[in-house]
Amino acid sequence: MSAVLVAAFKDHVAADDVRTALVKEGFPTDRVELTSSEELGQVNLVPREGVDEKLTEYFRKLLQRGAPDGGERWVSLFQRAVLDGKAVVAVQPRGDLETQRALQLLDQGGPVELQNQTLEHAAAARETPIFTWMGKVLAAPGAPDTTGLARLP
């Protein structure tokens, strides 16, 4: 299973700089996606009525791998970030080397921390988390965990 790394940035320009850095580094354009209110990208292809519904469905599909609840907490946070004027970059690296380089580039871009106090944290059905933060970058299943905690499944 391949990893998905997702990070939110303060605005479209910051996220576009990160996307450009990833592509210049050799990541194929079909594995690097930027989503913002200025550039919805793949979100435009989602068959839903409103932008908020399209964003929800897009992030749900992007983050669904391995998550028992589809990663709904993260879906909501990233959807809200885009609606609030932030921008999100998602990259799908292949292997540990690409993952480490993608994490470095995402981190160098200065991702913002997303918080939502209204979301509840439910007890996990398993000890190893489905999603984890690596700095301020969300890593979905398949990414090596550089936090020193248990590895993702």
Side-chain angles (χ1 to χ4, degrees), residues 13-27:
V13 172
D16 191 42
D17 289 345
V18 171
R19 174 177 59 182
T20 300
L22 286 160
V23 171
K24 281 183 179 179
E25 188 70 21
F27 287 90

Side-chain angles (χ1 to χ4, degrees), residues 1-4 65 93 95-96 99 130 139-145 151-153:
M1 177 184 309
S2 63
V4 177
R65 296 183 210 148
D96 287 351
T99 300
I130 292 297
D145 192 341
R151 286 182 61 98
L152 291 171

Side-chain angles (χ1 to χ4, degrees), residues 5 9 11 25 71 76 95 114:
L5 306 176
F9 297 89
D11 56 28
E25 188 70 21
S76 176
L114 298 177

Side-chain angles (χ1 to χ4, degrees), residues 1 4 23 28 34 38 46 53 55 65 67 69 72 76 80-81 100-101 115 117 119 123 128 137 148-150:
M1 177 184 309
V4 177
V23 171
L34 185 147
E38 292 180 39
V46 176
E53 292 173 348
L55 287 165
R65 296 183 210 148
D69 65 350
E72 289 302 316
S76 176
R80 177 62 22 216
Q100 292 305 318
R101 187 62 183 140
Q115 297 179 4
Q117 301 301 326
L119 293 173
T128 305
V137 178
L149 302 173

